[in-house]
Amino acid sequence: MAPSTGKRLKSVSISRPIVYGNVAKPFGEKRPPEANAEHTHTWTVFVKDPQGKDLSYFIKKVVFKLHDTYPNSTRTIESPPFQVTETGWGEFEIGIKIYFVPESNEKNVSLYHNLKLHPYGFPPGHVLTDKDREVQSILYDEIVFNEPTERMFEILTKTPGSLLPPVGNNKYTFSKKMENDELDRIKQAMDKVIEEINVQKDRLKELEAERERLVTVDQ
């Protein structure tokens, strides 16, 4: 029998923060004995609370869709930690579906994450250290419940949501600093794209001017 959810609360919204993504590192000298001969990295994809708190009070299960080359490529995790650890050599998109407790009477939420195994964001010429090769590709998001059921509102308000810690450590995977660093990397990448677009525009103008000059000479 489905639990009683009560009526929906009109004009009410409540949210819960999550972080999702993956960490990865090369095998190094100790290769997992069960790893495929072609694999080079160990990685973990996850959905977590920003401060590592238990999310099972409102999340029932998380389903991760891996690449089809993995055995049992659809992995259902019904209790925390909501994560999957595997080995591999290539990067690919992972589908993530979050299912909520029955009291919510909510549809599942779909997320997508591009698995990262290799370091990124370093300037040209940077010599990678072992620490640099331990990749973290993590995103922050908020799940918003619009007009939640009375029961779900009660569940959520009993457990306050977490805030992003100012800096990361062994306990907190994601932090405000990491968020700002990622935004800086995105801005740098966008600036580089814009710079390259402007270079190509200038080159196109030069070619057009040269074409017009040749047409004039021929006449």
Side-chain angles (χ1 to χ4, degrees):
M1 181 177 177
S4 174
T5 61
K7 65 182 181 181
R8 289 196 173 271
L9 301 176
K10 300 296 184 182
S11 304
V12 173
S13 290
I14 188 168
S15 64
R16 282 295 173 268
I18 61 167
V19 292
Y20 66 98
N22 80 276
V23 294
K25 63 180 180 180
F27 288 155
E29 296 180 358
K30 293 184 178 180
R31 181 184 183 85
E34 71 280 3
N36 185 292
E38 297 179 348
H39 291 183
T40 57
H41 289 70
T42 297
W43 54 263
T44 300
V45 62
F46 55 80
V47 173
K48 293 182 179 180
D49 176 90
Q51 295 189 17
K53 296 179 181 178
D54 186 354
L55 295 177
S56 62
Y57 69 95
F58 76 96
I59 292 180
K60 180 182 179 182
K61 64 181 179 181
V62 179
V63 178
F64 298 92
K65 179 62 176 73
L66 312 184
H67 194 276
D68 289 338
T69 53
Y70 283 87
N72 185 25
S73 60
T74 300
R75 310 285 179 90
T76 300
I77 310 300
E78 297 185 341
S79 60
F82 298 111
Q83 64 183 40
V84 170
T85 298
E86 266 291 356
T87 62
W89 62 268
E91 299 179 339
F92 55 90
E93 183 180 79
I94 297 176
I96 303 172
K97 283 189 177 182
I98 300 175
Y99 292 79
F100 304 108
V101 294
E103 291 87 349
S104 71
N105 197 24
E106 296 281 353
K107 295 180 180 179
N108 63 74
V109 169
S110 293
L111 304 171
Y112 297 92
H113 175 69
N114 291 313
L115 178 70
K116 294 289 186 184
L117 301 184
H118 306 288
Y120 63 98
F122 292 101
H126 176 80
V127 178
L128 295 175
T129 65
D130 289 343
K131 186 65 177 176
D132 293 337
R133 292 185 174 88
E134 295 182 4
V135 173
Q136 296 189 57
S137 177
I138 306 170
L139 298 171
Y140 173 88
D141 205 344
E142 293 185 1
I143 299 175
V144 180
F145 299 93
N146 291 314
E147 298 187 349
T149 64
E150 290 177 325
R151 184 72 183 100
M152 187 61 167
F153 185 78
E154 179 184 349
I155 290 171
L156 293 174
T157 52
K158 280 184 178 179
T159 307
S162 296
L163 298 176
L164 279 180
V167 295
N169 54 38
N170 291 335
K171 183 178 179 182
Y172 304 144
T173 306
F174 197 73
S175 66
K176 272 289 185 184
K177 181 178 183 305
M178 286 184 66
E179 182 180 42
N180 291 334
D181 289 347
E182 185 68 12
L183 290 173
D184 288 342
R185 284 194 290 268
I186 291 172
K187 183 180 183 302
Q188 290 171 8
M190 291 177 65
D191 289 345
K192 187 174 181 180
V193 170
I194 292 171
E195 180 183 352
E196 183 61 28
I197 289 173
N198 290 333
V199 168
Q200 294 302 321
K201 283 182 177 179
D202 291 341
R203 177 60 177 157
L204 187 60
K205 289 179 181 178
E206 292 174 1
L207 292 172
E208 184 65 23
E210 179 65 14
R211 187 187 69 81
E212 292 179 357
R213 186 188 68 80
L214 291 174
V215 169
T216 303
V217 170
D218 289 341
Q219 294 175 348

